Amino acid sequence: MGQLFGHTDPAPDAGWTDAGPRKGFFTDTSICIGCKACEVACKEWNQLPAAGAGEGGGLLGSSYDNTGALGADTWRHVAFIEQDSGRIAAARESGRRLVDLGMPTLSPAAGGSMDGARSPRVDALAAAGASDGIGAPGGAGAHAGLDVLGGTEGSAHPDTPEFRWLMASDVCKHCTHAACLDVCPTGALFRSEFGSVVVQDDVCNGCGACVAACPFGVIERRADGVSEPARQRPQAEAVGHSQGGIAQKCTLCYDRLTEGEQPACAQTCPTESIRFGERDELVERARRRVGQLHSQGMTEARLYGANENDGVGGTGSVFLLLDEPEAYGLPPDPRVCTADLPGMYARAGLAAAGMLAAAALAFARRGGRA
């Protein structure tokens, strides 16, 4: 357990004397093409069950989604969200109101194209293609940028398309103030030297306190009560895991980080929608990207998790969204229970002081009558 509230550097405050800069994710949903390579890489590396939530492991029926949500078996989840022109216009207007409140902008000289000559997603895919040789317009992801966004030539504010998909790869937020870690009675969750939150499944007793504490609904207990991959599960019954199941979630590929590798999902993402690195650098990169999109008329672009003054102290996983958080199933104002501790301590202190004052007054009056 580290500091429960207020500004903190998670790893050093948790006792790591040799901790380096905090690591995290930056997920840019504006260039996600929904390929689910991150989901597959996560499941393969962490040996998670392959079956999805849909019948027989197939699609859910409501979208091109087969896993539905984050959970014990799905540590990366790619959401597919359909939006019509009305919802897109509403997202753009809500983003414009955020801009009016001081969201970052970017001058043309700093990289933004004020004339909006191309669709932002096409620009992003082109940039991705320049760095890794794939995803450029006309390549694997070109249809997403050209057909979905449909930016208007020569306009700083592209026309609202009639339809689009929002595709976003969700993951554990690795909160600065992690309620799951703070409420764990056995110490099964710990803060790593990278600033992430990791579950030790052999210490978890399956009480589920962390499940209720997570403001994002990320952590979940396994329904079958075991942690090992499916092909090894018969052995797990002998080690005494509780019937309710142990808690599981993304570890930021802790085993890979200790070997100097990056998480499997970021390693696999073909458009670099998922980036891994030092959190402070990722946040700066994310802010520049938001400014670039704003300069191209996409005022709906906004950051999620970058604010250190929010109810969880900011998150290790930062997202660039193209609509309000609720559209992605994310809480608009996440808050951990420990964030209320200062107020609770203050009220408890006032109550104790009042009781002491009343007792002292009572003794004083009794002494006077004697």
Side-chain angles (χ1 to χ4, degrees), residues 320-332:
L320 187 154
L321 306 179
L322 296 179
D323 200 343
E324 295 175 353
E326 297 95 318
Y328 297 84
L330 296 169

Side-chain angles (χ1 to χ4, degrees), residues 5-368:
F5 49 81
H7 178 74
T8 180
D9 192 351
D13 288 342
W16 291 96
T17 57
D18 57 347
R22 184 182 181 184
K23 299 295 194 300
F25 287 123
F26 166 43
T27 303
D28 184 350
T29 67
S30 70
I31 55 174
C32 178
I33 58 175
C35 66
K36 285 183 172 281
C38 54
E39 275 195 28
V40 175
C42 177
K43 284 181 176 292
E44 183 172 3
W45 180 260
N46 295 292
Q47 300 185 22
L48 302 175
E55 183 177 357
L59 300 178
L60 294 174
S62 56
S63 73
Y64 292 107
D65 192 356
N66 63 335
T67 47
L70 294 173
D73 294 339
T74 304
W75 299 356
R76 267 280 179 189
H77 169 246
V78 179
F80 289 75
I81 304 155
E82 298 181 34
Q83 292 194 322
D84 58 19
S85 58
R87 182 58 243 177
I88 298 169
R92 191 155 295 166
E93 179 56 30
S94 70
R96 186 173 291 113
R97 290 196 294 270
L98 290 176
V99 173
D100 294 339
L101 291 175
M103 287 280 284
T105 58
L106 193 71
S107 66
S113 174
M114 296 301 292
D115 61 3
R118 290 198 303 181
S119 163
R121 183 169 291 185
V122 172
D123 288 339
L125 288 169
S131 63
D132 59 16
I134 58 175
H143 69 283
L146 290 172
D147 296 340
V148 177
L149 286 179
T152 301
E153 293 288 325
S155 171
H157 298 278
D159 290 339
T160 298
E162 296 299 318
F163 173 84
R164 74 175 176 183
W165 288 97
L166 293 181
M167 290 168 282
S169 179
D170 197 8
V171 70
C172 173
K173 312 305 179 291
H174 296 282
C175 303
T176 301
H177 300 299
C180 59
L181 183 156
D182 294 334
V183 303
C184 179
T186 65
L189 290 104
F190 73 96
R191 180 77 65 179
S192 79
E193 63 270 40
F194 306 104
S196 57
V197 179
V198 180
V199 181
Q200 303 173 92
D201 51 47
D202 58 338
V203 181
C204 177
N205 65 359
C207 70
C210 56
V211 177
C214 177
F216 299 98
V218 167
I219 196 165
E220 184 186 48
R221 292 184 300 174
R222 287 195 183 283
D224 56 2
V226 294
S227 61
E228 289 76 4
R231 59 179 177 274
Q232 301 175 7
R233 288 186 178 179
Q235 304 171 9
E237 298 176 357
V239 300
H241 287 309
S242 66
Q243 186 174 4
I246 55 100
Q248 289 281 270
K249 71 171 193 67
C250 163
T251 66
L252 205 70
C253 279
Y254 182 65
D255 53 343
R256 291 176 62 91
L257 299 191
T258 57
E259 297 296 328
E261 302 289 340
Q262 63 175 322
C265 55
Q267 178 78 33
T268 305
C269 181
T271 65
E272 296 186 341
S273 170
I274 302 172
R275 288 183 177 270
F276 169 78
E278 295 182 13
R279 182 185 183 276
D280 289 346
E281 293 182 358
L282 292 175
V283 169
E284 287 303 313
R285 184 188 189 93
R287 285 173 176 157
R288 290 196 300 271
R289 175 63 178 156
V290 169
Q292 182 185 35
L293 292 176
H294 284 182
S295 70
Q296 295 172 342
M298 293 187 66
T299 57
E300 66 266 45
R302 68 202 73 194
L303 294 186
Y304 186 80
N307 184 4
E308 296 183 355
N309 297 315
D310 65 17
V312 297
T315 58
S317 302
V318 177
F319 299 82
L320 187 154
L321 306 179
L322 296 179
D323 200 343
E324 295 175 353
E326 297 95 318
Y328 297 84
L330 296 169
D333 186 19
R335 188 175 181 82
V336 291
C337 50
T338 54
D340 295 321
L341 285 178
M344 295 169 63
Y345 289 156
R347 287 190 289 272
L350 286 174
M355 293 177 63
L356 290 174
L361 180 62
F363 279 113
R365 287 181 174 177
R366 184 175 181 181

